Amino acid sequence: MTSVRLEIEYDGTGFKGWAKQAGVRTVQEELETALETVLREPVKLTVAGRTDAGVHAEGQVASFIATGEMPVNLAQRLNGLGPRDIAVTAATPADDGFDARRDAVSRTYRYRILARRSSSPFEENRALWWPHKMDYEALETCATALAGKHDFTAFTPTQTDHVHFHRKIFDATWSQEGDITTFHITADAFMRNMVRILVGTQLDVASGRRTLESFKQLLLGAPRNQAGETAPPHGLYLESVSYES
């Protein structure tokens, strides 16, 4: 038996998220079908981050246990079978018992915003179009406040399977390049919709609809209805997953 690690990219536009669901197209379903075709055995993938419908990934990691011999060209064969909106960039043997989700020590997401008066056909399904006021310094101040361990109850849906709501933020920054404003965040783990609600709430601050102090108060464990709207999924990317070296 061999533990296998897959590194994966995908355009989330055409998927109902990562997790397999009856009657809809998902990333997990596509990959497991391709793996079963190549390996001639059922495969159950464990993933580092279960992305929602419409969310993209550049550095997704998944793992599985192969009972037979793993082909040396597994990634190439999977890409030959799979759809064009998924790419397996690497398929390598991993340490015995490697688990893509449990062994991850941090995950990094980014959220892209097209901040200008006109939309762009090239950023459709790639970035949130934001033709409104944006105070960049306010965004930077919000990001600085995120560093450390906080209670993110306000930043996940009220109906949730989560039991613990504290997460440790290792790094959070905003950057600008041309018309694109990007939020980067690295944490030990994320809750469902957490990054998208953080973005929506910070945009409230940047547009003057919310004070910086009220944003900081949310990090003390306020209820969900006190935070901002959930930003749409198409601006969100799972950028990378880190493991112990």
Side-chain angles (χ1 to χ4, degrees), residues 50 53 76 112 140 145 183:
R50 291 178 54 166
Q76 181 180 355
R112 300 177 70 249
E140 288 184 309
F183 178 56

Side-chain angles (χ1 to χ4, degrees), residues 58-76:
E58 290 182 348
Q60 180 70 278
V61 179
S63 60
F64 69 95
I65 303 297
T67 58
E69 185 175 353
M70 188 184 81
V72 294
N73 62 341
L74 179 58
Q76 181 180 355

